[in-house]
Amino acid sequence: MGYQLWTSPITGYRRKGTRLADLRSVVGARIVTRTIQEPLQCCPSDAPADDMRRILGERGFDVAGVQTKHNGLVVGFVVTETLQGGSVKDHTSPMSVDHLISDATPLSDLLAVLREKERVFVLAGSGVQGIVTRADLNKPPVRVYLFGLLSLLEMHMQFWVRRAYGEESWKEKLKDDRLQAAEKIQDERRGRNEHITVLDCLQFCDKRDLLLASNDLRAKLGLASKRQAKSLFNDAEDLRNRLAHSQQDLVQGSSWKAQIELIEKVEELVHRSDDTVEQEAKSARKSVDELWVAPQKGR
């Protein structure tokens, strides 16, 4: 059934919901900046800096907006730890275009911005209404998209392993303990009346090793360096595991810049795989179309 998740071997029909574009349109495009932004705490420009530093610190705000009048437009921002001496306006930085983002900005564009910036202020209507930081990427809506993306990556990996090795030849490439682990999972799932092959019971690391062992597969997916490809798959598996176990911080020993770069690389890889699947599907579809054209030519 694995191949049928993607394309029919007879008609070449590509099934709905199996493309990266499907995931982006159904999930990614609906997660916009306003989905995860927080209200921007503001302080008066003429307030004593030391007082505001204490108040913002007590409330856990690293950054705050600055207003010249209550509920007025946000005219700038301050970093809490710099508020020492004088008034708030003495420490205010202006908000340039580089600091701003629309509340309707989709997740993919927001990730690209937060790859380079720790935070951005959110425009809604005629003024700045909120703030979004890298820490907000830990929120459930973003996790849903990331888990979908990494699940899609693993499904692509299994698709190509099945295509390259078939149902049995791949067993020669795995260590005995890894094969035995997969067979144990198969027995357990068959005990629950699940019809499943050993290949379907391989772990992420097994699929990675089988994929990287094939020069043809690496070339087909644009993975020129085996070492770099292994590093990419290892990092993707680590992120997948943190998502699956609901770790509070998805970074854990890395950085958000590195994680966002990883996400972009995974998207690029899945996109390349998608294109290759599409090309093979079109080839199959062409042969079927000829069956309909041929009788008409004979009339």
Side-chain angles (χ1 to χ4, degrees):
M1 293 294 293
Y3 65 85
Q4 293 183 3
L5 177 63
W6 303 104
T7 61
S8 165
I10 305 300
T11 65
Y13 172 72
R14 181 74 185 271
R15 282 166 167 73
K16 298 291 186 181
T18 63
R19 299 172 176 84
L20 175 60
D22 296 333
L23 178 66
R24 283 175 168 170
S25 64
V26 173
V27 181
R30 298 190 181 188
I31 302 173
V32 295
T33 300
R34 73 173 70 94
T35 309
I36 61 172
Q37 74 179 58
E38 293 293 335
L40 179 64
Q41 175 69 43
C42 292
C43 52
S45 63
D46 58 355
D50 291 327
D51 289 348
M52 285 297 100
R53 183 171 186 265
R54 175 181 55 80
I55 294 171
L56 293 172
E58 290 174 349
R59 299 182 182 184
F61 294 112
D62 297 325
V63 177
V66 177
Q67 297 169 320
T68 57
K69 61 180 180 178
H70 184 58
N71 291 330
L73 292 176
V74 177
V75 297
F77 69 95
V78 289
V79 178
T80 301
E81 64 180 12
T82 67
L83 291 172
Q84 296 182 16
S87 63
V88 168
K89 65 182 177 182
D90 297 325
H91 305 276
T92 300
S93 298
M95 285 187 181
S96 68
V97 174
D98 291 338
H99 296 111
L100 303 174
I101 193 170
S102 167
D103 68 339
T105 302
L107 178 61
S108 58
D109 293 337
L110 177 60
L111 286 172
V113 172
L114 292 179
R115 182 185 60 214
E116 306 300 331
K117 300 179 184 297
E118 292 185 5
R119 68 183 75 87
V120 283
F121 301 102
V122 183
L123 280 170
S126 59
V128 175
Q129 300 292 330
I131 184 172
V132 62
T133 71
R134 287 172 173 173
D136 292 316
L137 299 178
N138 282 304
K139 292 178 177 177
V142 180
R143 288 172 181 253
V144 169
Y145 174 74
L146 295 183
F147 195 80
L149 173 65
L150 293 168
S151 297
L152 194 56
L153 169 65
E154 187 169 3
M155 295 165 83
H156 273 268
M157 292 165 65
Q158 180 162 327
F159 173 85
W160 290 115
V161 167
R162 189 187 301 274
R163 180 65 62 88
Y165 294 98
E167 292 292 345
E168 298 294 333
S169 63
W170 58 269
K171 293 182 179 181
E172 302 172 1
K173 300 289 185 179
L174 281 187
K175 294 180 179 180
D176 290 341
D177 61 330
R178 297 307 308 157
L179 179 58
Q180 291 168 6
E183 290 173 338
K184 181 180 179 181
I185 293 174
Q186 182 190 34
D187 289 340
E188 293 173 351
R189 296 179 68 175
R190 280 182 170 175
R192 299 194 295 265
N193 293 321
E194 296 182 33
H195 299 287
I196 195 168
T197 67
V198 182
L199 181 58
D200 294 318
C201 299
L202 295 181
Q203 299 300 300
F204 190 103
C205 60
D206 301 321
K207 299 167 190 175
R208 174 204 65 201
D209 292 344
L210 288 170
L211 192 152
L212 296 182
S214 169
N215 293 332
D216 289 342
L217 280 184
R218 292 205 313 274
K220 181 175 289 190
L221 297 177
L223 300 169
S225 168
K226 186 174 182 179
R227 180 183 62 81
Q228 292 178 347
K230 186 173 183 179
S231 177
L232 170 62
F233 285 122
N234 286 347
D235 290 344
E237 183 179 17
D238 287 343
L239 178 56
R240 193 279 308 265
N241 291 342
R242 289 195 292 272
L243 287 162
H245 295 112
S246 299
Q247 295 297 310
Q248 184 172 351
D249 187 359
L250 295 178
V251 176
Q252 289 190 347
S254 180
S255 68
W256 270 113
K257 181 178 175 65
Q259 290 300 315
I260 293 172
E261 289 175 349
L262 168 65
I263 293 164
E264 292 172 341
K265 289 177 182 177
V266 170
E267 287 179 328
E268 290 171 2
L269 174 56
V270 174
H271 181 67
R272 288 197 299 271
S273 180
D274 259 340
D275 284 347
T276 307
V277 171
E278 292 286 352
Q279 291 170 8
E280 295 193 2
K282 289 179 180 178
S283 297
R285 187 159 56 242
K286 181 179 179 181
S287 64
V288 173
D289 290 343
E290 289 174 350
L291 295 176
W292 293 94
V293 175
Q296 296 176 8
K297 289 182 178 180
R299 292 181 181 177

